[in-house]
Amino acid sequence: EPEVTQTPSHQVTQMGQEVILRCVPISNHLYFYWYRQILGQKVEFLVSFYNNEISEKSEIFDDQFSVERPDGSNFTLKIRSTKLEDSAMYFCASMGGVNSPLHFGNGTRLTVT
Amino acid sequence: LAKTTQPISMDSYEGQEVNITCSHNNIATNDYITWYQQFPSQGPRFIIQGYKTKVTNEVASLFIPADRKSSTLSLPRVSLSDTAVYYCLVGHSSNTGKLIFGQGTTLQVKP
């Protein structure tokens, strides 16, 4: 069964550094998402992407965040200047079409020190 | 966008049937109801999806009443490995852009 893959599985960075989290969605999917989950809390929506542009974004997704689909396969989340409170699990998800289920990767654990 | 309400937590014992209900009073006409399971340090995983009446697959059943303002996920004969957080999600058709998870229900299965 095709799956969403995320790299790296764990990233440690210093405050103020830039990080790029990478995702390879399922190949024929059209809708792409980033979520984050702070330890012990619920899954929070960050941003959605369709037709090469952002569809929706949450209040969390400020100008420190950006997303890109640089080629036909990768979907990246960049945090320009990380803060301690950015420490969380970041999940990428993709969806084949309207009313299809979301397929999630196993996440990247980001630790900002 | 349909807001969902679920119990925060539930306890059960191995071998029992577990029913988790989700309220979604302002569900849109074309919205589907989707349930996900999440284990610690893993991404949510699709369990089952439905629009109305009853849907069954190899792991669960989903019951949706005629007014569609709620849904019930039924897990038959749970085992310890079913201990997880369960989320219902509504709103794929009305807004594929902003799919927001609620608090979820933490199910603890005891031996």
Side-chain angles (χ1 to χ4, degrees):
Chain A
E1 185 181 323
E3 44 179 48
V4 175
T5 56
Q6 290 186 244
T7 54
S9 57
H10 204 152
Q11 172 99 41
V12 181
T13 190
Q14 288 191 324
M15 199 166 53
Q17 295 295 305
E18 174 184 285
V19 294
I20 297 176
L21 310 183
R22 301 180 193 280
C23 170
V24 179
I26 294 173
S27 64
N28 61 348
H29 282 191
L30 302 174
Y31 300 85
F32 312 107
Y33 303 81
W34 282 101
Y35 289 83
R36 81 171 185 191
Q37 188 171 34
I38 295 169
L39 188 64
Q41 298 185 23
K42 70 172 187 175
V43 177
E44 297 178 288
F45 169 80
L46 289 178
V47 66
S48 58
F49 194 86
Y50 170 71
N51 204 24
N52 287 319
E53 60 183 25
I54 290 175
S55 309
E56 296 275 356
K57 56 185 181 178
S58 71
E59 312 75 48
I60 303 167
F61 194 89
D62 61 22
D63 55 9
Q64 291 299 308
F65 290 85
S66 62
V67 289
E68 207 175 34
R69 190 158 158 79
D71 52 41
S73 59
N74 292 287
F75 181 50
T76 61
L77 174 70
K78 184 195 292 187
I79 309 175
R80 286 190 186 82
S81 178
T82 50
K83 303 189 278 281
L84 294 176
E85 53 265 37
D86 293 327
S87 294
M89 282 287 284
Y90 288 80
F91 294 110
C92 171
S94 68
M95 190 168 80
V98 172
N99 289 325
S100 298
L102 290 163
H103 293 256
F104 283 82
N106 275 330
T108 294
R109 180 176 298 283
L110 177 65
T111 303
V112 182
T113 61
Chain B
L1 207 62
K3 185 180 182 313
T4 59
T5 304
Q6 304 172 232
I8 295 292
S9 64
M10 293 181 73
D11 287 342
S12 182
Y13 290 93
E14 281 191 292
Q16 288 188 329
E17 178 184 79
V18 170
N19 296 307
I20 306 174
T21 297
C22 179
S23 297
H24 28 80
N25 289 319
N26 58 341
I27 186 170
T29 303
N30 295 328
D31 285 344
Y32 278 63
I33 299 152
T34 313
W35 283 80
Y36 296 85
Q37 175 192 55
Q38 186 183 29
F39 297 115
S41 298
Q42 293 185 26
R45 188 179 68 140
F46 168 76
I47 303 174
I48 197 165
Q49 184 182 60
Y51 182 78
K52 62 180 179 180
T53 62
K54 178 183 173 183
V55 180
T56 297
N57 63 21
E58 61 277 7
V59 299
S61 294
L62 179 59
F63 299 92
I64 305 168
D67 67 5
R68 302 195 336 116
K69 291 183 186 298
S70 67
S71 59
T72 299
L73 174 73
S74 181
L75 304 171
R77 296 186 303 280
V78 294
S79 63
L80 296 176
S81 62
D82 292 315
T83 293
V85 181
Y86 293 83
Y87 297 95
C88 76
L89 195 64
V90 173
H92 284 58
S93 72
S94 57
N95 189 348
T96 51
K98 205 167 192 177
L99 300 176
I100 294 177
F101 285 76
Q103 292 289 347
T105 298
T106 300
L107 172 66
Q108 180 71 50
V109 179
K110 301 174 183 176

